[in-house]
Amino acid sequence: MHARTIRALVASASVLGALAVPATANAEDAGVINARGVNAADEPTVRELLEKCDNGTDSCVFHPAGEPEYFTADAKQVGDPVYNCTPDDQRHNVSWSDTTSQSNSVGLSMTTEAGFGKVFAVSYEQTFQHTWEESHTESQTTFVDTRSHQVGWVERAAQMQKVRGTYELHFEDKFHDHYIWYVNDFEATGPAQDSSTAVSQHTRDMSQEEIDACP
């Protein structure tokens, strides 16, 4: 069985559902598990398979399924809130820094030190001509205008992306009764290449307790 032939056939197959075993492979030599499903008692776990990626396999390849899906994450407060304890309107400079990091559907650490994380990053770069970012840090100073006895704060909504696909692992010797394993429906989420963000300013009236705490 030629690994390059297998990779080419799998890359052209649909991986949104159960991945079809290539015609050149013996069906008994290949096993398929779903990254989001429940493993049968005689199957390896997703963790067991992914930890073998480039760490006990002859080859390990990630096949993306379609283009990345871009979305805006939920807004969250960044930086410290500011309190206007004076009788006048005020403009505050709020300096903040916020980091968004990658995650995945199986909850495993996905740094490039992990074999399956490095394989994912290489495949992403080759397929989409971008570098996969494990994390991205955004730092700014934002102006917040408050009226007398108001609290002001800044929120940021980061641009993110999701990439779905299938891992294909080849073993020299049978692993859980198969030479080839496919991990379907794997999903990774990370910062978008375009790191533009939605930044907004907010205010509310101070509570009596906050007013009493003013210097």
Side-chain angles (χ1 to χ4, degrees), residues 21-32:
V21 177
T24 55
N26 186 332
E28 295 180 355
D29 292 339
V32 180

Side-chain angles (χ1 to χ4, degrees), residues 89-180:
D89 294 350
Q90 284 193 341
R91 168 163 286 188
H92 310 262
N93 296 332
V94 178
S95 296
W96 55 268
S97 182
D98 184 48
T99 299
T100 50
S101 302
Q102 66 182 358
S103 61
N104 59 71
S105 56
V106 296
L108 294 176
S109 175
M110 199 176 158
T111 62
T112 52
E113 284 74 26
F116 82 100
K118 182 176 181 180
V119 164
F120 176 90
V122 169
S123 177
Y124 175 91
E125 183 172 355
Q126 292 175 342
T127 304
F128 304 116
Q129 306 303 306
H130 296 287
T131 299
W132 176 263
E133 288 192 273
E134 293 182 24
S135 65
H136 177 81
T137 300
E138 190 83 9
S139 300
Q140 288 186 22
T141 296
T142 304
F143 295 114
V144 178
D145 292 318
T146 60
R147 295 184 177 182
S148 176
H149 295 109
Q150 280 191 329
V151 182
W153 70 94
V154 178
E155 291 185 358
R156 178 200 179 210
Q159 294 296 110
M160 305 291 288
Q161 62 176 316
K162 288 181 182 178
V163 179
R164 296 181 177 89
T166 293
Y167 276 93
E168 176 190 356
L169 301 93
H170 290 241
F171 294 87
E172 181 178 0
D173 300 313
K174 282 188 176 181
F175 185 71
H176 286 266
D177 296 326
H178 298 293
Y179 289 106
I180 304 170

